[in-house]
Amino acid sequence: MASSAPASPSRDAAFGRIDTPFRQPLAVRFYGRRPGRGTAPLVVHFHGGRFVGGGIDRGSAVARLLAEAGAVVVSLDYPLAPRHPFPAAAEAGHRVLDWVGRHRGRLAGARAPLFVAGEEAGGNLAAAVARMARDRRGPALAGQLLLSPMLDPRLGTRSLRTAGAGGAGCAWAAGWRSYLPRCDDAAHPYAAPGDAAHADGLPPALVLSAEDDPLRDEALAHARCLDRAGVPVSARLLPAGAGWPGDLLAPAEAPVPWADPVRAWFRAFLQAPRGAAQPLPARPPTAAVRAGAAVAGAGADTAALPGCRG
């Protein structure tokens, strides 16, 4: 694949394009810079938007935090449903991951560890691409960072029901219907990568959610699935009222109250020896690992999430 990527990423965002089998090259945005002659973690990032919306502008809050944690980030403007249903976005993601892996030397250093990351629908794509990389024998991944990943098209978890989500009028339900117009696609492990089957051999994972996150239960279920398969996994929960996940799509200039703990968790995971893990939170959210007190009580509550009430 050809590309118009810059010779090396700058500290501020830089744009580029990567050729794929689609009619138009995929736009990407680069964040971060390798430290001198050394190496930096290299992350392919997938924005949220329930498979049907969002973009590299709307996903910049997470991408910038990854760069501030020391990574070079390639954030992908992947093809959206319903025009491009499954598996278009996942296939595009794997092709971009392959390109990034082959060009890691000029992006982040020849021995830079390679990661995937994503929030909400982007967390689904990051988890799917991690499975694709395993099944297709490359590129080898050092880890996956999944923020409130959208993994279960059945929409039947307790945390979704508590938030009044999952039924008619829910934006997540509408997103799933657009992404998986064929019912049998829901059984495909790249469409619903939270499936417990065949999780062995996946790269270490960092899974983030919040106590009042409607996607909390499927995120923690996936973490436990990976743990049972022997995959090193660290799971972290922000306290209720932290503005998560609504602020995941905040524009770059908007401050997010959870930035400090999330940046610290990113840095620890990106720099950890491969195979390191932390204990999983207990199932009741009150027993979960909590962020600092400065985050508690800030931001919006779950009832403010668009499209998931009534």
Side-chain angles (χ1 to χ4, degrees), residues 29 31 45 47 55-68 75 119 147 247-256 258-259 262-263 266:
R29 181 179 281 181
Y31 300 84
H45 167 254
H47 64 79
I56 50 178
D57 290 326
R58 296 289 301 277
S60 59
V62 172
R64 287 184 184 277
L65 284 178
L66 286 163
E68 290 170 9
S75 188
E119 62 272 15
L147 291 71
D247 286 343
L248 284 173
L249 297 181
E253 63 275 10
V256 289
W258 38 260
V262 170
R263 185 190 303 108
F266 283 170

Side-chain angles (χ1 to χ4, degrees), residues 127 131 144 146-149 151 193-196 199 202-209 215-237 277-283:
R131 287 189 175 228
Q144 50 184 321
L146 310 178
L147 291 71
S148 295
L151 299 171
D195 184 3
L202 290 171
L206 173 66
V207 180
L208 302 185
S209 183
L215 301 177
R216 179 199 67 214
D217 287 354
E218 56 198 272
L220 294 184
H222 184 56
R224 292 189 179 90
C225 164
L226 295 173
D227 184 56
R228 288 194 298 270
V231 176
V233 57
S234 299
R236 293 287 182 265
L237 289 181
Q278 300 292 330
L280 297 179
R283 185 169 184 82

Side-chain angles (χ1 to χ4, degrees), residues 278-307:
Q278 300 292 330
L280 297 179
R283 185 169 184 82
T286 54
V289 178
R290 300 176 66 90
V295 177
D301 62 21
T302 309
L305 292 172

Side-chain angles (χ1 to χ4, degrees), residues 158-217:
R158 179 180 177 183
S159 59
L160 277 166
R161 293 195 305 271
T162 300
C170 175
W172 285 304
W176 277 116
R177 286 193 297 271
S178 295
Y179 186 57
L180 302 178
R182 292 165 43 96
C183 291
D184 55 344
D185 281 340
H188 198 290
Y190 300 162
D195 184 3
H198 311 300
D200 55 298
L202 290 171
L206 173 66
V207 180
L208 302 185
S209 183
E211 291 178 353
D212 54 353
D213 178 8
L215 301 177
R216 179 199 67 214
D217 287 354

